[in-house]
Amino acid sequence: FLMVDTYLQAPVILGLNAHPGDRMKWAYRKAGGTMLVTSVTTAVCFYSNTLSVMLVVREFGVFMGTVVLINYFHVITILPSAMLVSDLYLVPWWKRVSDSYLVPLWKRVGDSYLVLLWKRVNDLYLVPL
């Protein structure tokens, strides 16, 4: 969630017209180090279970430490790519489709849209965000 929140926070810092690539660079600089530190410390804690005398606990420690490091690699590579694809292609496509076929009725709570109501002819669809 840290990379996503930082990426969504970037327009406030960089301006509303900031290019998604610049937003992602800023998010990497801000969130990358924090995610690295938390992932490494978590992996080290799991790897410390290899000092146990119980075989099951040792195997669990090796497995979970490796999973945490692989997860960090995925969060640093795949998640930002998916976020950019979504921001550059899927969101504009969805806006075109929804504006063409549906009449949006937004229920806004605070600064976030919690529920999206679509009215199409006489039908009412509830789509959670």
Side-chain angles (χ1 to χ4, degrees), residues 32-54:
T34 304
M35 290 188 308
L36 176 65
V37 169
T38 56
S39 295
V40 168
T41 55
T42 303
V44 167
C45 289
F46 277 120
Y47 283 136
S48 70
N49 286 329
T50 59
L51 302 175
S52 174
V53 294
M54 295 180 62

Side-chain angles (χ1 to χ4, degrees), residues 2 5 11 16 19 22 27 34 46 54 76 88-89 92 100-101 103 106:
L2 187 60
D5 286 348
L16 294 175
H19 187 271
D22 295 333
T34 304
F46 277 120
M54 295 180 62
I76 281 298
L88 292 173
Y89 300 107
S100 300
Y101 300 108
V103 178
W106 297 87

Side-chain angles (χ1 to χ4, degrees), residues 34-94:
T34 304
M35 290 188 308
L36 176 65
V37 169
T38 56
S39 295
V40 168
T41 55
T42 303
V44 167
C45 289
F46 277 120
Y47 283 136
S48 70
N49 286 329
T50 59
L51 302 175
S52 174
V53 294
M54 295 180 62
L55 180 62
V56 175
V57 174
R58 281 187 290 187
E59 290 175 351
F60 174 76
V62 170
F63 173 75
M64 286 306 299
T66 306
V67 166
V68 168
L69 294 178
I70 290 172
N71 181 55
Y72 172 74
F73 175 74
H74 287 161
V75 167
I76 281 298
T77 57
I78 295 171
L79 178 65
S81 303
M83 289 167 45
L84 285 176
V85 166
S86 174
D87 204 21
L88 292 173
Y89 300 107
L90 297 178
V91 170
W93 173 81
W94 177 250

